[in-house]
Amino acid sequence: MLIWAGAASALIVPKESIAGIELRMTRAEVKEKKGQPDRIVHGSNDLGPWTEFIYRNAVGKVKVKATFQVDPNVTWVSTNRKGQKTAEGIHVGSPESALHDYPRLHCATFGGVFRHCWTGQMSGPKYGRVTSYRIEIGTARVKRITVTAHPAMLFLIY
């Protein structure tokens, strides 16, 4: 069984945080931790209005997104940056096979367009925090990692 040892020092803490942005942080706490976002986007979907804080890297590519929806605090945070890793070394670019040591990992392919693997409970009476790994079909590698307190939102962001 895989243990989340050293997770406190990892940039991605499964079911908790990415790049220091923790689930349930307020907007002010995110700004205190990461600074002013490079961009703030507002929109709405089936769950209602949302706000997204976007942080980019030095060359202007998105590295972290923190989203506030359903709740005034962070409901999900995601990254597409290779440099952010779990304590076990899982990162964007890792092969899907590297995920298979995670306890209770689930995977599914959606319409032949993308593959989604996750840890945590997606539905039912015990649903809760989930870490999602979007897998690129052509390469079988992790393309995006998301941590959320509202797993139903994963189907809206992919």
Side-chain angles (χ1 to χ4, degrees):
M1 181 167 153
L2 193 78
I3 304 295
W4 303 120
S9 64
L11 291 170
I12 298 173
V13 181
K15 300 185 196 175
E16 298 292 330
S17 67
I18 294 178
I21 300 174
E22 298 175 21
L23 293 176
R24 310 279 307 133
M25 277 182 146
T26 66
R27 293 169 198 230
E29 289 171 328
V30 173
K31 287 179 181 178
E32 183 178 317
K33 182 79 170 182
K34 302 301 289 181
Q36 185 65 26
D38 295 305
R39 186 170 176 215
I40 298 175
V41 179
H42 303 281
S44 66
N45 57 29
D46 292 345
L47 297 177
W50 51 265
T51 299
E52 190 169 67
F53 286 6
I54 299 172
Y55 293 91
R56 299 182 182 278
N57 64 14
V59 294
K61 293 191 177 190
V62 174
K63 66 176 185 177
V64 176
K65 293 181 183 181
T67 301
F68 305 84
Q69 184 172 20
V70 179
D71 182 313
N73 301 330
V74 172
T75 49
W76 65 269
V77 59
S78 68
T79 187
N80 62 358
R81 185 169 177 242
K82 292 180 180 180
Q84 295 169 347
K85 301 177 181 185
T86 66
E88 296 75 28
I90 302 298
H91 58 88
V92 169
S94 291
E96 179 182 338
S97 60
L99 300 172
H100 292 283
D101 287 337
Y102 280 136
R104 296 186 253 358
L105 179 77
H106 308 279
C107 294
T109 301
F110 293 91
V113 178
F114 70 90
R115 193 155 163 74
H116 173 219
C117 294
W118 68 93
T119 57
Q121 195 72 19
M122 289 286 280
S123 63
K126 294 183 179 183
Y127 90 94
R129 293 177 175 212
V130 168
T131 301
S132 166
Y133 305 87
R134 181 175 176 149
I135 310 296
E136 191 168 22
I137 293 282
T139 64
R141 293 191 174 275
V142 176
K143 185 173 183 173
R144 173 173 295 284
I145 300 172
T146 302
V147 174
T148 183
H150 296 278
M153 295 176 73
L154 289 170
F155 297 103
L156 297 171
I157 63 175
Y158 286 132

